[in-house]
Amino acid sequence: MLDFFSRKKRDPQDSEQAQAPGHEGPQAGEAIQEEPQASPDVPGDGASPAPPQDGPMPAAEEAGGEDAPPSGPEAEKRKGWFGRLREKFSPGPPEDAPAGTGEAKAGDPLPAAASQGEDPAQAGESPVETGPAGDQPPDLPGTALASGAGPDLPAATGQSGETPPGDALDEKGEAPERKVGWFGRLKQKLASTRDKLAGRLETVLSATRTIDDDVLDELEEILITSDLGVKTSTDILSKIRGQVARKELNDVEALKASIRTRISEMVMAQAMPPVDAKPFVTLVVGVNGVGKTTTIAKLARIHQNEGRKVILAAGDTFRAAAVEQLSIWAQRLGVPIISQPTGADASAVVFDALTAAKARGADVVLIDTAGRLHTKTNLMDELKKIRRVAAKAIDGAPHETILVLDANTGQNAASQAKIFNESIGVDSLIVTKLDGTSKGGVIVSIINEERLPIKYIGIGETFEDLRPFEPEAFVEAIMGPR
């Protein structure tokens, strides 16, 4: 009871402090003394009416008053993270910004005007230019430049082999692979084959003091397991065994040089007789998954670079989306393509393509065919039919039959070369995917046993990664320097 009267006689100043902002208010369980308030329309005793306790504070009072803007840590706290970020990247000094711009506090969502692309001035915000997303100023890092649309960024390239934005460049602004050159890239891509062949040969010979039959047997095992094949490995060492038996070869360095010389003699490319025909018809064959369609696109680029007019024939009407895939390549290269829907007769597509090539004055016709296993007799017979139809359309066509082989298959690639050559006749070979395998030694086996020349090798996915086969460069890449 005494506590009640003591609170009632409290100083009026305490009552005003209790209603001031920031006051904690009465404790739980205490009664609140209600004072009669004057009507807003009645002047009263000259004192200003107390502000309402519920609802938001007036804008002037929340901002600290019009005449006394906040400063120091309190002002930085009220700006929030987004306000400080906007001041940092704004062109003018932050002190010139008008009071009451309504910067968002840390953790608050963006204003509706900024998020929906409306005029910020209508929502009580300072006008801020926004980027493509509408939620960041364009001069903030990582907005327009992240999409590659900045004026200082080079345009991204696809299959041309040029360095796309973001790749590391040297101090001269050149890509590392271009600086290394073709032979350096060849050595890099064939590192697995070199380690498997030359590396193991070096390991055995470096620990050898006397050359005997046991050492030669171990060397033969290394050659066979490096995918040179039994026959080719035997051919390499047969002459060396005779020299060792006659005591003509007893030096380790001379033995290494002799092995290298024998491999070099085997991979010397067989000369292909030139064919003077227009249009020059090339039939590309191979099993599934060796990269025929992509290789055809790379061949078309090579002919384009040499100034020839190319036409593509979509003869793979069996595999789903094969026609569409070759059509995309034709569109990228800007070359015409002759095709029919999936399931059509491949021979009819070839006949139409050769007829169009003669009418349009094309220089080269590249014919894609469906992938087929070399063990399927009926599919091999279909290739023979394509060859007969091509010969009816143009005398002597096809002028060249190229077999595409995947180096990852090792000795199976050698078997494919043998059966395709026996079935339809093969003029030259393209060996792809040498960059992802340690079985590059199969090239030596194919050339030695089938007497077929390697026309191109593929060591990557770009157009520049399909290059003419150079025997000496290949031997140095898989055997190391002399």
Side-chain angles (χ1 to χ4, degrees), residues 4-19 31-39 45 48-51 53:
F4 173 80
F5 285 104
S6 63
R7 288 199 306 271
K8 188 174 183 181
K9 294 179 180 181
R10 185 178 299 168
D11 191 355
Q13 295 181 358
D14 298 338
S15 182
E16 293 177 1
Q17 294 177 1
Q19 298 190 21
I32 301 176
Q33 180 69 24
E34 298 183 359
E35 297 290 342
Q37 300 182 6
S39 173
D45 296 336
S48 299
Q53 297 186 8

Side-chain angles (χ1 to χ4, degrees), residues 109-466:
L110 289 175
S115 60
Q116 299 178 5
E118 300 177 359
D119 187 3
Q122 298 180 1
E125 296 287 341
S126 299
V128 178
E129 296 182 3
T130 58
D135 56 354
Q136 281 186 327
D139 51 6
L140 292 181
T143 54
L145 297 182
S147 62
D152 298 332
L153 291 179
T157 58
Q159 303 292 334
S160 62
E162 299 178 7
T163 304
D167 283 4
L169 301 177
D170 58 13
E171 60 239 7
K172 296 182 180 180
E174 298 177 348
E177 287 192 350
R178 288 189 177 275
K179 187 175 181 180
V180 170
W182 163 250
F183 180 68
R185 294 167 63 195
L186 180 65
K187 291 173 62 178
Q188 292 176 357
K189 301 296 186 179
L190 294 177
S192 298
T193 300
R194 183 170 60 255
D195 293 342
K196 187 176 182 180
L197 177 58
R200 292 194 297 163
L201 287 175
E202 182 66 27
T203 300
V204 172
L205 295 177
S206 61
T208 298
R209 295 181 179 273
T210 303
I211 301 176
D212 53 19
D213 289 340
D214 292 337
V215 173
L216 295 178
D217 290 342
E218 191 169 358
L219 295 180
E220 185 176 12
E221 180 183 354
I222 293 175
L223 294 176
I224 293 174
T225 55
S226 297
D227 286 276
L228 273 72
V230 175
K231 183 180 184 304
T232 300
S233 300
T234 303
D235 292 344
I236 292 174
L237 293 176
S238 60
K239 185 177 180 180
I240 296 177
R241 288 183 185 275
Q243 292 175 330
V244 171
R246 294 189 300 269
K247 305 297 183 181
E248 298 176 359
L249 185 62
N250 54 12
D251 180 68
V252 173
E253 293 300 324
L255 175 59
K256 290 194 294 185
S258 181
I259 294 176
R260 183 191 184 97
T261 301
R262 292 288 295 151
I263 293 177
S264 297
E265 293 173 352
M266 289 181 175
V267 300
M268 294 304 295
Q270 305 294 321
M272 294 184 58
V275 178
D276 186 13
K278 183 177 180 179
F280 187 83
V281 181
T282 299
L283 180 66
V284 182
V285 299
V287 301
N288 296 303
V290 296
K292 292 189 304 300
T293 305
T294 305
T295 300
I296 288 174
K298 295 178 181 180
L299 289 174
R301 169 60 66 87
I302 292 175
H303 288 297
Q304 279 185 322
N305 293 340
E306 295 176 357
R308 301 187 184 95
K309 185 177 179 181
V310 183
I311 286 183
L312 303 183
D316 185 358
T317 59
F318 177 76
R319 178 171 64 90
V323 176
E324 290 77 6
Q325 181 184 2
L326 191 62
S327 298
I328 293 174
W329 280 118
Q331 182 179 5
R332 291 179 180 177
L333 295 169
V335 299
I337 179 174
I338 307 300
S339 63
Q340 292 186 14
T342 301
D345 185 4
S347 300
V349 176
V350 172
F351 185 85
D352 292 343
L354 299 185
T355 303
K358 291 190 297 183
R360 302 178 187 182
D363 299 310
V364 177
V365 180
L366 299 175
I367 303 175
D368 188 16
T369 59
R372 62 203 71 225
L373 293 175
H374 52 284
T375 56
K376 299 296 183 179
T377 306
N378 57 331
L379 295 178
M380 300 301 291
D381 291 339
E382 186 181 39
L383 284 179
K384 296 178 182 179
K385 178 182 178 182
I386 292 177
R387 292 176 63 90
R388 292 194 301 269
V389 171
K392 292 180 180 179
I394 297 178
D395 292 338
H399 305 104
E400 180 184 31
T401 300
I402 298 180
L403 174 63
V404 182
L405 300 173
D406 182 355
N408 287 292
T409 58
Q411 282 298 304
N412 190 26
S415 300
Q416 296 172 23
K418 178 179 177 62
I419 297 180
F420 270 92
N421 191 28
E422 292 175 351
S423 301
I424 62 173
V426 175
D427 298 307
S428 60
L429 306 174
I430 296 178
V431 183
T432 63
K433 306 180 185 180
L434 281 167
D435 55 317
T437 182
S438 61
K439 301 180 179 181
V442 69
I443 287 182
V444 183
S445 175
I446 293 173
I447 297 177
N448 178 61
E449 298 178 21
E450 302 304 324
R451 303 298 177 183
L452 292 173
I454 308 292
K455 190 170 186 178
Y456 295 96
I457 57 173
I459 60 170
E461 297 180 355
T462 66
F463 286 108
E464 287 75 11
D465 288 329
L466 184 69

